[in-house]
Structures are given as structure tokens and as C-alpha cells.
Amino acid sequence: MIARRDLAVRVAARSDLSPTCFRLTLAAQEPLDASPGQFGMLSCGEGFDPLLRRAFSLAGVSRQGDTTEVELLIKEVGKGTTLLRHFALGSDLRLLAPLGNGFSLDAGPHRLALVAGGIGLPPVLFAAEVLAARSTGFDLYLGATSAVELLELTRCGRATSRAGGELVLTTDDGSRGERGFVTAALARRLSEGRAYSRVLACGPTPMLAALTLLARGHGLDAELSLEEPMACGVGVCLGCVVKLADGRYVPTCKEGPVFRTSELAPGWWT
Amino acid sequence: MIARRDLAVRVAARSDLSPTCFRLTLAAQEPLDASPGQFGMLSCGEGFDPLLRRAFSLAGVSRQGDTTEVELLIKEVGKGTTLLRHFALGSDLRLLAPLGNGFSLDAGPHRLALVAGGIGLPPVLFAAEVLAARSTGFDLYLGATSAVELLELTRCGRATSRAGGELVLTTDDGSRGERGFVTAALARRLSEGRAYSRVLACGPTPMLAALTLLARGHGLDAELSLEEPMACGVGVCLGCVVKLADGRYVPTCKEGPVFRTSELAPGWWT
Amino acid sequence: MSVRLNTTVGGLALANPIMAASGTYGYGLDLLEFCPPERLGAFVTKGLSPRPRAGNPVPRIVETAAGMINAIGLQNIGVEAFCRDALPLLRQRGPVVAVNVFGERMDEYVEVIERCEREDGIAAYELNVSCPNVTAGGIEFGHDPRPLERLTGMCRAATRRQLWVKLSPNAPDLVETARAAVSGGADALTLINTLRAIAIDAERRRPVLATGCGGLSGPAIKPIALRMVWEVHKALPAVPVVGIGGVESGRDIVEFLLAGASAVQVGTAIFRDPGAPLRILSELERFCAEHGVAEVRELVGVLEWH
Amino acid sequence: MSVRLNTTVGGLALANPIMAASGTYGYGLDLLEFCPPERLGAFVTKGLSPRPRAGNPVPRIVETAAGMINAIGLQNIGVEAFCRDALPLLRQRGPVVAVNVFGERMDEYVEVIERCEREDGIAAYELNVSCPNVTAGGIEFGHDPRPLERLTGMCRAATRRQLWVKLSPNAPDLVETARAAVSGGADALTLINTLRAIAIDAERRRPVLATGCGGLSGPAIKPIALRMVWEVHKALPAVPVVGIGGVESGRDIVEFLLAGASAVQVGTAIFRDPGAPLRILSELERFCAEHGVAEVRELVGVLEWH
Ligand SMILES: Cc1cc2nc3c(=O)[nH]c(=O)nc-3n(C[C@H](O)[C@H](O)[C@H](O)COP(=O)(O)OP(=O)(O)OC[C@H]3O[C@@H](n4cnc5c(N)ncnc54)[C@H](O)[C@@H]3O)c2cc1C
Ligand SMILES: Cc1cc2nc3c(=O)[nH]c(=O)nc-3n(C[C@H](O)[C@H](O)[C@H](O)COP(=O)(O)OP(=O)(O)OC[C@H]3O[C@@H](n4cnc5c(N)ncnc54)[C@H](O)[C@@H]3O)c2cc1C
Ligand SMILES: Cc1cc2nc3c(=O)[nH]c(=O)nc-3n(C[C@H](O)[C@H](O)[C@H](O)COP(=O)(O)O)c2cc1C
Ligand SMILES: Cc1cc2nc3c(=O)[nH]c(=O)nc-3n(C[C@H](O)[C@H](O)[C@H](O)COP(=O)(O)O)c2cc1C
Ligand code: FES
Ligand code: FES
């Protein structure tokens, strides 16, 4: 296990990626080793409201001299994420990371299919950039509600072309790329006979549910990064459980957040 | 009564005045008429922790074009004031003001004695600058624990000299001005025969208690700006009461915060 | 979409479901420029006793995490001064007035009501039963079902106006006290009053408040208040409930309505924002419009339990 | 100034007064790099039942203002797995272990204790009596003094180790239940467990949590917990109390000690900060040093009431 740390971090940079999403760069003075699919629990201020930290997948970690830069891609959906969008640069926060288990990045006989829906992009982008650097081949499927919500297209494109793969864009409203859900785009290519070694995915639960069925239908191995409300992020509160195939409830923060669809109970999302 | 407003204000400027105190300049797009001794209830953020607004005496109000600038002098003592010290410039807050009744600024046969202890300065400074502009004479007594905590000395000196009065500085540790309490400096001059029409004062409760006894001893009229924990600032919660000479408890936010010592119950501070 | 905001509490029709709570809105005339009483469904006065009361020494209030504790000690101007000084001005504006009533003995409650019965412009009485019953050794009226039933019955006999009983969340058995109030003749139940609490000053090794204990209010207690409203509504579905406790937004109002409240009071929020009740009303209206709720009353008690 | 941090709870000597609370620290081995159990006065395990339990469906937790509601449903690995897998590792480190015990029937509590009696390295049992008593129609054990006394007596008969009863703040009469636990043989009382509460999802018109109700914890409840600790301490001054509820700082510990707690547990704070108990311990030490408190035990129960 990579050593967890409760890092003192500073808000080093922030930039808007879409009307609802932004990139937050956090700087720490300690090293952080993390792999794609792992996440961190980030404090959202000093007071007791909000009380709990928020979970964010790591979108990238890099070392600049003595400073570690951690990148998060965040969608503003409520109290905590609104605060994060408005903290002054230089504000001090805490990030407990890396937590959980990431994607397995082994290459296989075929390419990998990386699938991201909306703000599910961060761990998938992290995976894409690591895979590209290792020259492991993949296609990247990126879906969003509309064109403006397709995030980090330049980086997605660069990583995918380095990996010699296809970048497939979809939007629900057809304003960019193929119209419809990202899972449908994947389904089309699968039924056209495209073969993948494995699917790595993150996105809203209905998308991951659809993907579970799709993977099952094609006998495909898929790894999903799940999202459950979390209090502790370290397996002690038992708030964030998912049901496994063997009937056990396990904390997604500790045993996941990435699970193979074969481990999960058939209707894990209900 | 001057019209109360719940002003949308923006943090326009902030500067440190001492290791513990800072000046906060708030900008509003509405006019605000206020007189020295009146105060405002300032929100300290959006969440529910801290829950209540904080009371601050107005240290000055000016109009720059369409913008009203409200000045506060604040001592960092707890959760709310720490937040106020760290909000980004441009942050949006709300200020309910002007509240309560200020000092009476009428000139009399003699000069006025303005007395401020520590962070009791803001309403006294506001009064000093208004009185100086009207050429009403006063001496200004300013006390603090030590030299570095004597705030806004330049403005205090300018206003006092415009009013043809004396600026008397005291520090508890003698690091600047006369050593000892500011009330002792006043007492010395009173017993040397200096005559005042009235005392206007703000500061910690022990200082105001001492002043009450001093004023009574010299048959002097004194107006004190009191501090009680406040929830509403507008007289509805009845949290901030003080006992009057007639035995009634009245809310300091509405009937005060400035009271004449003659109105107050003899041992109002106990 | 235009939303019908009106509701009823027992026999009382209200233009909207939002009230200002007792002890947080004075006698209705303090916040005219931010929240005039006639724009509210109703407002509840500060608790009135037969004679003026000075209340407790200070400190009377202390902030806690997302809440505050108060021990005002029921300071009030007395029913006579209310009827003489405040009521005529209120009558000119025409709000729905509920008088919050308390006493140290049962007959004091009746005394307040009888004085008010001589006046027009009062729609309801809300009995604050979280007061020590001096003749019963200081146990709160609201803690023991039998005396509570008797108290409610005595007040019932004194008026044909609406009678609400404001329950204490500190009572041993909430549903039993609710039943007692109803069988004593209450038209509706208000819940909850503040939760008994202490703040301690670690420096001085004393309670912060002069009286030691006080009552906790504000967002901190909302989850407990919602649970209690739901419990009482489930046990006594025919009894109208006025919900209260930590309401800060239109969404909070919806939550209380879903849990079974026919109307909702806003208390501590007024201290944060003197215009809170009206802001919350417009948030409620917007919520309903955005969610296809044509009438606020549709929401009452329709929480789906699993 | 060096501060003596040690304390005792009943017959148990502790190196310092800070414990990790049940349900917030796993089985003591999850946070080794942030807060090793042997540095604490003691830690309390997640509640153990005779057999493993799967717990409730999700959502199990929801944040509220300065608090959270949980309905974990007492998921646990069962006493057997605890004794087999966790306890040997714990014994190597040497913390003071308190096992939190619950069951659906009285004999299940005894079953857990009996299994643990076969093991070294357990100092105390803490009975979680906020569980529905299946044989008594689902009323919580902690709500009714007589069954509580009997349950405590049965557990008392099963062990000579320290026996703590963790009281429910939802009980009709806190002091009566406290008395019942003591006369059943409890060495100390832990209070408080979580307050029953609901969060409502206004969009879905349902409770947020899958089970509907849950338990409120965190800073929001601290003023209520302090009041309850003080009430029980005043009524039963000779009975050791372990205080708990919303502790986030060393100053909070001092407040609980002043109110009468001999030791204090830290729960929800661990979710915000995995090192919270140790941070709080060092804050406590600093507070004492700065305030001339040579021994933490001086503080217990010395709150000056007016
Ligand atoms: C492992 C993991 C990785 C995540 N990665 C990302 C990411 O990279 N980028 C991103 O924008 N979001 C991510 N999320 C979701 C993110 O945690 C929530 O959007 C965030 O907690 C919402 O907080 P809020 O205060 O703004 O919203 P509120 O709705 O005000 O939050 C209220 C409470 O609900 C919880 N909550 C609300 N939505 C979610 C959710 N979807 N998942 C978990 N808890 C939730 C919050 O933690 C909080 O306790 C991730 C979640 C998990 C579990
Ligand atoms: C009429 C009036 C005018 C004031 N003017 C000024 C001023 O010009 N500059 C300045 O620095 N301070 C002033 N104060 C004091 C200021 O309100 C408090 O210092 C501030 O509320 C502390 O908030 P906090 O969150 O930092 O401290 P905390 O101790 O965390 O506050 C906790 C609670 O106690 C209350 N409280 C704490 N100290 C005081 C106090 N001294 N008076 C009233 N309530 C208190 C807070 O409002 C809050 O509810 C004034 C107070 C009053 C009543
Ligand atoms: C300062 C203050 C004074 C109060 N006075 C009264 C009162 O006189 N009578 C009464 O029945 N309730 C009184 N209450 C209780 C409130 O009406 C309400 O029940 C409680 O505060 C919970 O609601 P909230 O969280 O919205 O404030 C008072 C509350 C506060 C905070
Ligand atoms: C997620 C969670 C799980 C809990 N599980 C248990 C438990 O198994 N047994 C128990 O006696 N108390 C349990 N509790 C209650 C806590 O031990 C504690 O009494 C309560 O949370 C109040 O303290 P706090 O505010 O410091 O968290 C749990 C609390 C939480 C938040
Ligand atoms: S978030 Fe606490 S166990 Fe996963
Ligand atoms: S602060 Fe509410 S009455 Fe003065």
C-alpha cells in the first residue's frame, strides 16, 4: 500500500473548465505517490459547516522541485464545492491521500477502453496520461451533457493520440461528437467488433450501471470507480458501502473506489 | 431614526493596524447615514458556523461617487473575526446598519473628553473626526496594553489637533505615553482641575466601570458605548440587555449601545 | 407557474405557511422595513405573562456550532402593555397574530388569554409549556401529560379562538404529551421548542450563561425537529402541526411540510437575516414552481417512508 | 509545566482521558499511522454482535449543519472474527481495549462478553443499549429502566472486567436509566450515544437515509451532551462518567471533564481528521499547562454552578 498522508496543502491555482467545473491545483511540501483511481479527502474550510471533508479523485500528481502539485477537477454541486471554488489562492487546506485502490493499468492483448462521463473524467484522465507515457494503447470515450461540459479536451486528445487510440466524444444533446450516451458509443464499437482488453470507467451511477450490463453482455472485464457519500474515507465509518457478489457490504473508500464488475453484486447500483 | 438597511457589502480593503487588529473597508452601492457610536451587524460567511453576525461599531462612513465606504476596526479574538481577517478582497458580506443610538455630539461650555481603551477606539475615532470637522473641542485619551496596540495614531493626532485638544496616550506597560490605565490619565487631569462638558467613551467593561465611578465622583456627564453578546442587533432576541437605574433590563442594541451613566443601574457591570 | 401558497392550521386559514416564531420577532413591530408582519402567514408574539417580567441576568445567549443557546428568562412587557401599545398598531396593519402565552401557574395562562379575549385582532394562542410549573415544584408543564391536559383544558374553556400547544422536545414522551394536549382541546401542536443545553466556559470553569442551562436553537437542531414532527404526525395524523426548528431556507420549509407540518415557523434565522421569513417564502415559492407543485398544501405529510 | 494526564474510570487506570469512540475507529488498526491505539487512554471497538452483521443499505450517512446522521445498522465482523483477527495484533501493541457490545436479545450481549472473556487484552465492555430489543417488540434496551437493569445485571454476572453502559439520549428519563444501569452493576456510564434524527430529501420526498431515521452526532450535539453529562453527574456524583458528543478540541475535553466526565471519547471528529484524538490530547495538555492545571483529574466535575 502506498503511504497515506494527511497533507497540508495550499490552493496554488484554479481555473474554470466549464460553467460548472473547475481545476484546482494544490501544492504540498511533502511527496505523494498515487496511482490513477485513487482519491483524496479534502477539507473545505475550518468551521464545522460543512463538517466533513469531500472526496475527489486525483486527476494528476507531479513533483516540481520540493513541491508536490496535486490536481483535482471539481464540479460545483453544493456547499463544499462552492466553497472550494471561492477560496483565495494561498488558502490552507488538508488533503488526506492517496486513499483506496486505483485502476489496474496492465496492458493486455488489445487496447483498453477508458470511459468517462461528465465529472467522472479526473481518474480516467490520470489513467490516460500514465498509460500514454507508458505507451499502452487505449481509446478514450468522453461523454457529457453538452459540448461546454466536455472537459480538458486538449489533454485528452494529446494523451489519446500518444497512445495511438481514438478519442470518442459524445454529448446528450449532440452539440459535439456523437449524440447520446457515452456507453452507447462504446456499445456501437463493441458490436462492430472492436475488441478491448479491459474497460476502465468513472462517471455517474446510471452510466456505470449501464456499463456493468454492457460489459457482462460482451464478456468484458470492466473496472469501475464508484461514488458513495463518504464521511471518513479510510474505512472506519462504514458509511460508503457497496454490495459485493458474495453478499458482503464493503466500504468503497477502502476496498474501492475501483471495483471489477465481476466482484460486485449483480444489481449493486440499486 | 436613520433608516436601517441590510447592505450588500464587498470587502474593498484591509490593512493590519497592530499584531491583533486590522482595518476593514467595506463597499456598498447604497447610501448609509450613520452617526458615531452606531454599529452594524456583519455576516462572517455563508455557512452556519459561525451562525450569527458580529457587532462592530462604525469607525467611519464616506461616500465616493456611487459607492459608500464603511470602515471598521476589528480585533481578532475568535472564529468570526479570524474569518473576517482572511476573506479575499472582493468577498460579499452583509452589513445591517446603522443600528442603535450614537453619542450626542453637542458642544458644551467646556471641551469634551473622548476616551478609548484598546479596540474601543472605532466609535471614538468616528466621533473625533466628526467633532473635528465641526470644530468642537475635545481631548482624546487613548489607552492600550502596549505601544503596538495604540491604533490609528496619525488620524487620532490629526483630529485632535484640528479640535485644538490634547491627545493623551497611555499604555499598561509604559511602552508609550503615560504608564497605566487610560482612566487614570483622565482622573489625573480632572483632579488637576481640567473641566469637561461630557465624557464619551468606549472600551472594555472594567474601563467603563471605572469611568462610571470616576464620572460620578466628579459629577461629570458620561456616555458609554457598551458591549454585550448580541444575536439580532435589532432588539428582538433580548439577549444583550443591561440593567437601567429604574430596574428594567433593556436591549443594548436598541436602546444603546451608548448610554449615559446616569441612566444605568449603579452597578450595571456586575 | 403560479403557486397557491395558502394553508390552514386547524380552523385557521393562512395566506402562506410561514410564521415568525415566538421570541425572535418581538411583538411584530420591530422589523417592519425588512419583514412586515402582514406579509407572513402569521407571526407569534414573544411569550406574554400576566405581568411584565424582567428576565434573567446576562449573559443570556451564547453561540454554539450551527446553533445558539438562550436563557432570556421570558422577559416580556406583560399582556396589558401588549394589548395597549402593540395591538392597536398591529390591527392597523392586519397581520394574523398568534399570542404566545406562559405562566408560572395554570391560572396565569388563563389570565393572559382572558385579557386578550377582550381585544380584536388575535387569531390564536400558542401555549409555551416549557416553563417551570411553580405549584408543581418547578417541573415543566409540558413534561407531564396529565397537568398538560388540564392546562390545555382550562385555556380551551377560556377561548373559542385557535389554541396551539407548543411542545417541549425535552419531554419524556413526546407523543404522550402531544395526545394530552389534543385531548385537552388543542387545535394544533407547535413543535419544537428549544432543547435543553449547556455551554461551558473552560477558563472560568462555569457555564457561559448566567442561569447555567438554556435552550438550543438553530440549524443544529433541524434534524431532531424534523424527526419529532414526523413522529407526532405519524402518531396523530389528524392533528395539525406547526413545525419549527432550525429553518433557514425554502427547502427547509418543504422538508417540514413533507414531514407533516401544515405551517412552519422561522426563529433563529431572523437573527442572521431580519428579512429571513420573506426570503424563505420566496424560496419556497420558487421551489414549488420549479417542481410543479401547484399548491403548497399538496406537500403536507406526503413524505414517503420506505 | 508538566501535566499529569492520567485518569481513572471506575476501576480502570488510563494514561490519559481520551478515547476513540465506538464506530469511528474501526477495530483499532485502521489509523495506525495517524493515531495508534496505544497512544490513547483507551479505544472502543465498533459494536460487536455474536455473529457478523451486514448492516443497512445505503445511503447510510448524511451531513447536516455541524453534524451528521448515520444509520450504519451495526455492521460488524462479529465477535469471533474480532477475537481471531484483530485482537492478536492489538495485543502486540498493547492499547487499552474496550469492546462495544450489542445484541437483539439480552443473551446475545452475554454471548459476546463470554466469547471475549476467553481472551486477554480486553479491559472493559461498553454496552450499546440503543438497539431495538427484538423480544420486547423493538423498544430500545436503553429506554426502559427495568429491562436495562436486568441486561446490565446479566452482563455483570458474566465478567469481572470493567462494565460501562452507554446511555441513549433518546431515553424518556436519562437519570432513571442511569440509575438502573448502576444498580444493575455498571462500573461507569458512557454518554451520549447519537440523537434520533431525520434528514429529508425535498426532491425525492423521502428521507435521505435508506432506513429513514438515524443518529445525529458531531459538534451540533455537544451542548446537549454536556447538559446530559452534567445532569447525570449531579444526580449520581459517585458514578464515573465517560463523556462523548461533538468533541473537536482540547477545550471541549476540558468542558466535559468540568461537567463531570472522568474520561472523554472522540467520535465524528476522527472523520474530519484521522489524527484528531492525538491532536486533541496535545491541545488538552497545552491548555492544562497554560492554566496551571497540574493534573487533568483536578478538572473532573468542578464546574461551578451559580
Ligand atoms: C471516491 C470519490 C471520488 C470523487 N471524485 C470527484 C471528482 O474528482 N470531482 C468531483 O467533482 N467530484 C468527485 N466526487 C464527488 C464529490 O465528492 C461530491 O460532489 C462532493 O462531495 C459534493 O460536496 P458538496 O458539499 O459540494 O455537495 P453537497 O451536496 O452539499 O454535499 C452534501 C454531502 O453529500 C456528500 N455528497 C454529495 N454528493 C456526493 C457524491 N456524488 N459522492 C459522494 N458524496 C457526495 C458530500 O460529501 C457531503 O457530505 C467523488 C466522490 C467520491 C466518493
Ligand atoms: C455594539 C458593539 C460594538 C462592537 N464594536 C467592535 C469594534 O468596533 N471592533 C471590534 O473588534 N469588536 C467590536 N465589538 C466586539 C465584537 O462584536 C466581538 O469581538 C466579536 O463578536 C467576536 O467574534 P468572534 O467570532 O471573533 O469571537 P468568538 O469569541 O468566537 O465569538 C463567539 C460569540 O461571542 C460573541 N462575542 C464575543 N465577544 C464579544 C464581545 N466583546 N461583544 C459582543 N459579543 C461578543 C460573538 O458575537 C459570538 O456570538 C463590538 C461589540 C458590540 C456589542
Ligand atoms: C432568543 C429566543 C427567545 C425565545 N423565546 C421564546 C418564547 O418566548 N416563547 C416560546 O414559546 N419560544 C421561544 N423561543 C423558541 C423559539 O420560538 C423556537 O421554538 C426555537 O428557537 C426553535 O426554532 P429556531 O431553531 O428556528 O430558532 C425562543 C427562542 C430564542 C432563540
Ligand atoms: C458512523 C458512526 C457509527 C457509530 N457506531 C456506533 C456503535 O457501533 N456503537 C456505539 O455504541 N456507538 C456508535 N456510534 C456513536 C458514537 O460512538 C458516539 O456516541 C456518537 O457519535 C457521538 O459522539 P461524536 O459526536 O463525537 O461522534 C457511532 C457513531 C457514528 C457517527
Ligand atoms: S467513508 Fe467511512 S468507511 Fe468509507
Ligand atoms: S442583540 Fe438581540 S436584542 Fe440586542
Side-chain angles (χ1 to χ4, degrees):
Chain A
M1 193 169 82
I2 302 177
R4 302 176 296 187
R5 281 201 169 78
D6 191 17
L7 300 164
V9 296
R10 196 153 270 211
V11 177
R14 179 175 40 217
S15 55
D16 285 346
L17 301 175
S18 82
T20 62
C21 297
F22 57 100
R23 190 196 305 118
L24 196 67
T25 309
L26 303 172
Q29 297 313 311
E30 299 172 67
L32 170 67
D33 284 315
S35 61
Q38 291 190 301
F39 69 102
M41 294 293 288
L42 182 62
S43 66
C44 303
E46 305 256 302
F48 299 137
D49 182 43
L51 183 70
L52 302 169
R53 299 195 190 195
R54 290 348 192 202
F56 298 103
S57 297
L58 305 175
V61 177
S62 59
R63 188 94 189 140
Q64 325 272 358
D66 280 348
T67 304
T68 304
E69 287 203 346
V70 183
E71 222 186 296
L72 307 177
L73 311 183
I74 299 180
K75 179 167 182 168
E76 185 177 346
V77 296
K79 213 173 235 191
T81 48
T82 300
L83 282 167
L84 291 172
R85 192 167 202 160
H86 291 97
F87 279 127
L89 295 186
S91 296
D92 293 310
L93 300 173
R94 301 205 69 102
L95 180 73
L96 182 63
L99 300 175
N101 303 305
F103 295 113
S104 65
L105 300 177
D106 309 336
H110 308 287
R111 280 188 288 185
L112 302 178
L114 272 50
V115 187
I119 193 60
L121 179 62
V124 174
L125 179 59
F126 191 2
E129 293 188 332
V130 169
L131 290 168
R134 296 190 190 166
S135 304
T136 302
F138 61 83
D139 293 340
L140 174 50
Y141 293 80
L142 181 54
T145 49
S146 70
V148 288
E149 294 294 347
L150 288 164
L151 311 176
E152 298 277 22
L153 283 183
T154 315
R155 286 169 65 186
C156 289
R158 197 166 46 215
T160 314
S161 64
R162 251 181 95 178
E166 185 189 6
L167 174 62
V168 180
L169 303 180
T170 70
T171 53
D172 299 356
D173 64 0
S175 53
R176 176 106 190 242
E178 303 174 22
R179 177 192 294 268
F181 291 147
V182 68
T183 44
L186 172 63
R188 267 195 298 279
R189 285 169 181 70
L190 285 173
S191 51
E192 285 161 22
R194 197 174 298 186
Y196 290 112
S197 294
R198 209 160 59 253
V199 180
L200 311 183
C202 184
T205 300
M207 168 192 136
L208 298 183
L211 215 49
T212 305
L213 298 174
L214 187 66
R216 236 173 250 159
H218 287 80
L220 244 179
D221 199 11
E223 296 186 6
L224 312 179
S225 174
L226 305 188
E227 247 181 47
E228 280 296 329
M230 290 183 177
C232 71
V234 292
V236 295
C237 77
L238 300 179
C240 67
V241 296
V242 66
K243 204 175 209 164
L244 295 192
D246 62 10
R248 285 185 307 138
Y249 278 123
V250 298
T252 56
C253 64
K254 193 175 161 187
E255 315 267 320
V258 174
F259 291 93
R260 302 171 59 162
T261 47
S262 54
E263 300 175 89
L264 294 167
W268 60 266
W269 57 86
T270 54
Chain B
M1 195 167 87
I2 301 176
R4 300 177 297 189
R5 281 198 169 79
D6 192 17
L7 299 163
V9 296
R10 197 152 269 211
V11 178
R14 180 176 36 217
S15 54
D16 285 345
L17 302 176
S18 81
T20 62
C21 296
F22 57 101
R23 189 196 306 119
L24 196 67
T25 309
L26 303 171
Q29 298 311 310
E30 298 172 68
L32 170 66
D33 284 316
S35 60
Q38 290 190 300
F39 70 102
M41 294 292 289
L42 182 63
S43 66
C44 302
E46 304 256 303
F48 298 138
D49 183 43
L51 183 70
L52 302 169
R53 299 195 191 194
R54 290 348 193 200
F56 297 104
S57 297
L58 305 175
V61 178
S62 60
R63 189 93 189 142
Q64 326 271 359
D66 280 349
T67 303
T68 304
E69 287 202 347
V70 183
E71 221 187 294
L72 307 177
L73 310 183
I74 300 180
K75 179 166 181 169
E76 186 177 346
V77 297
K79 212 174 233 191
T81 49
T82 299
L83 282 166
L84 291 172
R85 191 167 203 160
H86 291 98
F87 279 127
L89 294 189
S91 296
D92 292 310
L93 301 173
R94 301 204 69 101
L95 180 72
L96 182 63
L99 300 175
N101 303 306
F103 295 112
S104 65
L105 299 178
D106 308 336
H110 309 288
R111 281 187 285 184
L112 301 177
L114 271 52
V115 186
I119 193 60
L121 179 63
V124 173
L125 178 59
F126 192 2
E129 293 188 333
V130 169
L131 290 167
R134 296 189 190 168
S135 305
T136 301
F138 62 82
D139 293 339
L140 174 50
Y141 293 81
L142 180 53
T145 48
S146 70
V148 289
E149 294 293 348
L150 287 165
L151 312 176
E152 298 278 22
L153 283 183
T154 316
R155 288 169 65 187
C156 289
R158 196 165 47 215
T160 313
S161 64
R162 252 182 95 179
E166 185 190 5
L167 175 62
V168 180
L169 303 179
T170 70
T171 52
D172 299 357
D173 64 1
S175 52
R176 175 106 191 241
E178 303 173 22
R179 177 192 293 268
F181 291 147
V182 67
T183 44
L186 174 62
R188 267 194 296 280
R189 284 166 183 72
L190 286 173
S191 51
E192 286 161 20
R194 199 175 297 187
Y196 290 112
S197 295
R198 211 160 56 255
V199 179
L200 311 183
C202 185
T205 299
M207 167 192 137
L208 299 183
L211 216 47
T212 306
L213 300 174
L214 187 65
R216 236 174 250 157
H218 288 79
L220 245 180
D221 198 11
E223 296 186 4
L224 312 179
S225 175
L226 305 188
E227 247 182 47
E228 280 296 329
M230 290 183 178
C232 71
V234 293
V236 296
C237 78
L238 301 178
C240 66
V241 296
V242 66
K243 204 173 208 164
L244 295 191
D246 62 11
R248 285 184 308 140
Y249 277 124
V250 298
T252 55
C253 64
K254 195 175 159 187
E255 315 266 323
V258 175
F259 291 93
R260 300 170 61 163
T261 46
S262 53
E263 298 174 90
L264 295 167
W268 60 265
W269 58 85
T270 53
Chain C
M1 185 179 133
S2 101
V3 178
R4 304 251 291 269
L5 294 166
N6 61 301
T7 186
T8 59
V9 175
L12 187 63
L14 303 175
N16 70 63
I18 297 184
M19 306 181 188
S22 180
T24 63
Y25 189 67
Y27 306 104
L29 297 163
D30 284 298
L31 299 173
L32 296 178
E33 69 271 51
F34 304 110
C35 183
E38 64 276 13
R39 303 260 315 267
L40 300 171
F43 87 87
V44 189
T45 66
K46 174 70 189 161
L48 291 169
S49 49
R51 277 150 295 279
R53 283 175 60 117
N56 292 331
V58 292
R60 291 178 167 188
I61 52 171
V62 57
E63 197 184 64
T64 64
M68 63 178 280
I69 312 179
N70 86 80
I72 305 302
L74 296 164
Q75 172 172 356
N76 78 98
I77 58 174
V79 67
E80 187 56 45
F82 172 74
C83 291
R84 186 188 61 221
D85 302 336
L87 207 45
L89 297 172
L90 288 168
R91 275 192 293 255
Q92 286 171 20
R93 309 186 70 104
V96 177
V97 179
V99 168
N100 185 275
V101 180
F102 75 96
E104 295 183 344
R105 301 186 315 271
M106 294 200 186
D107 56 358
E108 290 193 343
Y109 284 83
V110 177
E111 200 178 334
V112 173
I113 292 176
E114 281 174 348
R115 176 63 190 83
C116 290
E117 286 291 298
R118 307 197 332 244
E119 303 286 340
D120 287 336
I122 295 169
Y125 300 103
E126 182 180 72
L127 307 185
N128 174 2
V129 297
S130 306
C131 309
N133 181 348
V134 169
T135 43
I139 296 176
E140 293 179 22
F141 292 100
H143 275 212
D144 199 344
R146 265 170 311 250
L148 179 61
E149 182 174 346
R150 207 153 71 82
L151 173 67
T152 312
M154 284 170 65
C155 294
R156 175 75 293 166
T159 182
R160 303 177 71 169
R161 289 176 174 157
Q162 291 291 305
L163 184 64
W164 308 340
V165 174
K166 184 166 179 182
L167 300 180
S168 162
N170 308 305
D173 189 328
L174 185 69
V175 170
E176 271 321 294
T177 44
R179 270 191 231 284
V182 171
S183 69
D187 296 301
L189 303 171
T190 305
L191 53 153
I192 61 175
N193 212 319
T194 54
L195 283 143
R196 207 159 58 246
I198 306 185
I200 290 176
D201 182 335
E203 307 280 335
R204 293 168 54 246
R205 300 189 179 185
R206 291 172 173 279
V208 175
L209 299 184
T211 50
C213 273
L216 183 65
S217 65
I221 70 168
K222 191 186 76 169
I224 301 172
L226 280 172
R227 187 261 293 176
M228 290 184 166
V229 167
W230 175 246
E231 262 178 21
V232 168
H233 175 68
K234 237 183 357 183
L236 305 168
V239 178
V241 167
V242 180
I244 173 165
V247 169
E248 288 279 348
S249 70
R251 198 170 277 263
D252 292 340
I253 301 282
V254 174
E255 295 171 15
F256 273 93
L257 296 172
L258 292 170
S262 301
V264 184
Q265 296 182 0
V266 178
T268 301
I270 297 176
F271 304 158
R272 287 164 52 85
D273 171 6
L278 291 185
R279 170 181 54 77
I280 291 171
L281 178 60
S282 71
E283 289 168 4
L284 171 66
E285 194 166 359
R286 186 155 15 97
F287 180 97
C288 289
E290 287 172 7
H291 291 77
V293 177
E295 304 195 33
V296 158
R297 290 167 64 172
E298 292 170 24
L299 296 172
V300 177
V302 302
L303 184 71
E304 287 177 52
W305 205 262
H306 316 261
Chain D
M1 186 178 134
S2 101
V3 179
R4 302 254 291 269
L5 294 166
N6 61 302
T7 185
T8 59
V9 176
L12 186 63
L14 303 176
N16 70 63
I18 296 183
M19 306 182 188
S22 180
T24 64
Y25 189 67
Y27 305 104
L29 297 162
D30 285 297
L31 299 173
L32 296 178
E33 68 272 51
F34 304 109
C35 183
E38 65 276 13
R39 303 260 316 267
L40 300 171
F43 86 87
V44 189
T45 67
K46 174 71 188 160
L48 290 169
S49 48
R51 277 151 294 280
R53 283 175 61 114
N56 292 330
V58 290
R60 291 178 169 188
I61 52 170
V62 56
E63 196 184 65
T64 64
M68 64 177 283
I69 312 180
N70 86 80
I72 305 302
L74 296 165
Q75 173 173 353
N76 77 98
I77 57 175
V79 67
E80 187 55 46
F82 171 74
C83 291
R84 185 188 60 221
D85 302 336
L87 208 45
L89 297 173
L90 288 169
R91 274 192 293 254
Q92 286 170 20
R93 308 186 71 102
V96 177
V97 179
V99 168
N100 185 276
V101 180
F102 75 95
E104 295 184 343
R105 300 185 316 271
M106 294 199 186
D107 57 357
E108 290 192 344
Y109 283 83
V110 177
E111 201 178 334
V112 173
I113 291 176
E114 282 173 347
R115 176 64 189 85
C116 290
E117 287 291 300
R118 306 200 328 247
E119 304 286 340
D120 287 335
I122 294 170
Y125 301 103
E126 182 181 71
L127 307 184
N128 175 2
V129 297
S130 305
C131 308
N133 181 347
V134 168
T135 42
I139 295 178
E140 293 178 22
F141 291 101
H143 275 212
D144 199 344
R146 264 170 313 249
L148 179 61
E149 183 175 345
R150 205 152 72 81
L151 173 66
T152 312
M154 284 170 64
C155 295
R156 175 74 293 168
T159 183
R160 302 176 73 166
R161 289 176 175 158
Q162 291 291 304
L163 183 64
W164 308 339
V165 174
K166 185 166 178 182
L167 300 180
S168 160
N170 308 302
D173 189 327
L174 184 70
V175 170
E176 271 321 294
T177 43
R179 270 190 232 283
V182 171
S183 68
D187 296 301
L189 303 172
T190 305
L191 54 151
I192 61 175
N193 213 317
T194 54
L195 283 144
R196 207 159 59 248
I198 306 184
I200 290 176
D201 182 335
E203 307 280 334
R204 295 167 53 247
R205 301 189 178 185
R206 289 173 175 277
V208 175
L209 299 184
T211 50
C213 273
L216 183 65
S217 65
I221 70 168
K222 190 186 77 170
I224 301 172
L226 281 173
R227 187 261 294 175
M228 290 183 165
V229 167
W230 175 245
E231 263 177 21
V232 168
H233 175 68
K234 235 182 1 180
L236 306 168
V239 178
V241 168
V242 180
I244 173 167
V247 169
E248 288 278 349
S249 70
R251 197 170 278 263
D252 291 341
I253 301 283
V254 174
E255 295 171 16
F256 273 93
L257 296 172
L258 291 171
S262 301
V264 184
Q265 296 182 0
V266 177
T268 300
I270 296 176
F271 305 159
R272 287 164 51 86
D273 170 7
L278 291 186
R279 171 181 52 78
I280 290 171
L281 178 60
S282 70
E283 289 169 3
L284 171 66
E285 194 166 0
R286 186 154 15 98
F287 181 97
C288 289
E290 287 172 6
H291 290 77
V293 177
E295 302 197 33
V296 158
R297 291 167 66 172
E298 294 170 21
L299 295 172
V300 177
V302 301
L303 184 71
E304 288 177 51
W305 205 261
H306 316 261

